[in-house]
Amino acid sequence: MIAIENDRIRVAISEKGAEVKKVYDKKKGFQFMWNGDRRYWGRVSPILFPIVGKLKDDTYTLDGKEYKLTQHGFLRDQEFIVDRQTDTMVHLMFASDGRFRDVYPYEFEVHVIYEVTDNMLDINWQVVNLEEKDMYFSIGGHPAFKVPMAEGETIKDYYLEIQPSDKEVERIELTGEVKKEENLEKLPLNAELFEKDAVIFSNVDGIAIKSNTNSHEIRLDFKDFPYVGIWTKYMSEDKTVAPFVCIEPWYGISDLFYTDGDLKNKVGINKIDPQDVFDCAYSIEFI
């Protein structure tokens, strides 16, 4: 396990998947991240690559050939190496090295850089296309935060404060239906919100998780990310949810109902030119 820290927060990161496991506020004596309890969901903040969400029948085609990939891709289960580290920053790297061509026919590198500044964690992703052809991919975050954050609370004590971009916020259904959304300044959290799985928005620059009963707050800033998913595990037996909420900035989305299966035509897909780099970043503030 890797640790980076400053006077305010300590962040623990696993080399497997370059996954943030813990964020501890030293002044508050408080742990903000979900604990990864396998009874509900055993991950904490996986990185989704080279797809986000599910493919229809776990299948896609590319240049006339069929490939199989399961939900969220394979990067979250791979061992990264530490390229560089200081007290407050770590740069992790993963190279494909010919191991995935049967499921994803590209050679690539993924670089993940974490840095802490005061009460902020900055996350930077760089995807490098090592091919002499265009590379098609998606990448996304899946950080899970402890909700509720205090004893005696329920999810109904929390709400999301959603910061729209300069475009109108849209809610996207996997059927392809798009709904215009308004009045999202205070979106109440409750189990019913997640009855049909994740809630997906486009044209959102940031989201804050806030409580009506305590002062803890988590703010994510992901300007320029085209999508964000909001998710927790819904238990249909008793209509309750797990004690965490994920805020997921995405450069990609699950296959919509009407997909033709061609990766190049996939909604939300990204393209990197030969020997080029895709670079994006988001930040999380722990208050």
Side-chain angles (χ1 to χ4, degrees):
M1 195 74 72
I2 300 160
I4 58 173
E5 62 185 309
N6 59 17
D7 291 341
R8 178 66 185 272
I9 59 174
R10 181 188 307 119
V11 181
I13 302 155
S14 173
E15 290 95 333
K16 182 179 179 180
E19 184 177 5
V20 171
K21 292 292 191 179
K22 296 179 180 180
V23 176
Y24 180 72
D25 187 315
K26 297 178 179 181
K27 292 185 178 179
K28 288 186 173 185
F30 186 77
Q31 198 73 251
F32 277 95
M33 304 301 292
W34 161 241
N35 64 15
D37 186 340
R38 293 180 182 275
R39 290 178 299 170
Y40 299 102
W41 184 57
R43 302 182 189 266
V44 179
S45 63
I47 300 170
L48 318 179
F49 177 91
I51 58 170
V52 167
K54 283 184 66 67
L55 299 169
K56 190 175 182 180
D57 300 323
D58 289 336
T59 303
Y60 71 94
T61 59
L62 186 65
D63 298 327
K65 186 175 179 180
E66 186 175 281
Y67 298 88
K68 293 284 188 178
L69 260 184
T70 53
Q71 183 174 10
H72 295 324
F74 50 73
L75 188 68
R76 58 188 178 169
D77 294 316
Q78 308 309 315
E79 290 289 331
F80 281 67
I81 63 170
V82 175
D83 183 73
R84 188 163 52 95
Q85 184 175 3
T86 68
D87 290 343
T88 59
M89 182 279 301
V90 64
H91 177 171
L92 299 111
M93 189 272 283
F94 177 79
S96 56
D97 292 335
R99 289 172 286 176
F100 302 95
R101 296 193 75 86
D102 58 334
V103 295
Y104 185 64
Y106 299 105
E107 294 303 314
F108 62 88
E109 292 177 355
V110 177
H111 298 257
V112 180
I113 302 165
Y114 294 109
E115 186 167 12
V116 292
T117 306
D118 194 31
N119 62 336
M120 186 95 67
L121 175 63
D122 294 314
I123 301 107
N124 176 225
W125 298 327
Q126 298 166 5
V127 182
V128 184
N129 179 7
L130 300 177
E131 298 279 353
E132 297 298 335
K133 60 183 178 181
D134 294 339
M135 173 178 160
Y136 294 84
F137 76 101
S138 296
I139 191 168
H142 203 312
F145 307 102
K146 184 165 61 176
V147 173
M149 300 184 199
E151 293 290 331
E153 295 180 326
T154 72
I155 191 172
K156 291 184 178 181
D157 293 308
Y158 288 78
Y159 63 94
L160 302 181
E161 188 177 81
I162 296 179
Q163 179 187 350
S165 71
D166 55 4
K167 299 177 182 178
E168 193 167 18
V169 175
E170 297 175 335
R171 181 167 175 172
I172 301 171
E173 305 290 343
L174 296 184
T175 59
E177 183 181 4
V178 175
K179 302 176 183 178
K180 303 294 183 183
E181 290 285 346
E182 298 177 349
N183 303 318
L184 291 174
E185 294 84 3
K186 192 171 184 178
L187 176 65
L189 289 177
N190 52 62
E192 293 76 19
L193 186 64
F194 303 101
E195 191 172 359
K196 296 180 180 179
D197 205 25
V199 178
I200 302 168
F201 292 121
S202 62
N203 303 327
V204 170
D205 282 350
I207 293 180
I209 303 174
K210 293 187 172 184
S211 170
N212 292 307
T213 57
N214 72 64
S215 61
H216 297 313
E217 183 178 336
I218 301 166
R219 288 186 168 272
L220 289 88
D221 182 358
F222 43 85
K223 182 177 171 57
D224 299 326
F225 278 67
Y227 306 101
V228 60
I230 303 161
W231 177 76
T232 188
K233 185 173 182 180
Y234 178 80
M235 273 75 73
S236 57
E237 312 82 47
D238 57 5
K239 298 182 179 181
T240 61
V241 290
F244 65 84
V245 171
C246 296
I247 307 295
E248 309 176 35
W250 293 340
Y251 269 92
I253 193 172
S254 288
D255 272 354
L256 302 184
F257 178 75
Y258 55 77
T259 182
D260 67 2
D262 189 326
L263 191 66
K264 295 180 181 180
N265 299 333
K266 181 175 169 58
V267 173
I269 202 69
N270 307 280
K271 183 181 77 170
I272 312 177
D273 293 335
Q275 301 293 316
D276 206 352
V277 180
F278 173 89
D279 194 313
C280 67
Y282 74 101
S283 63
I284 311 174
E285 185 177 8
F286 301 92
I287 300 171

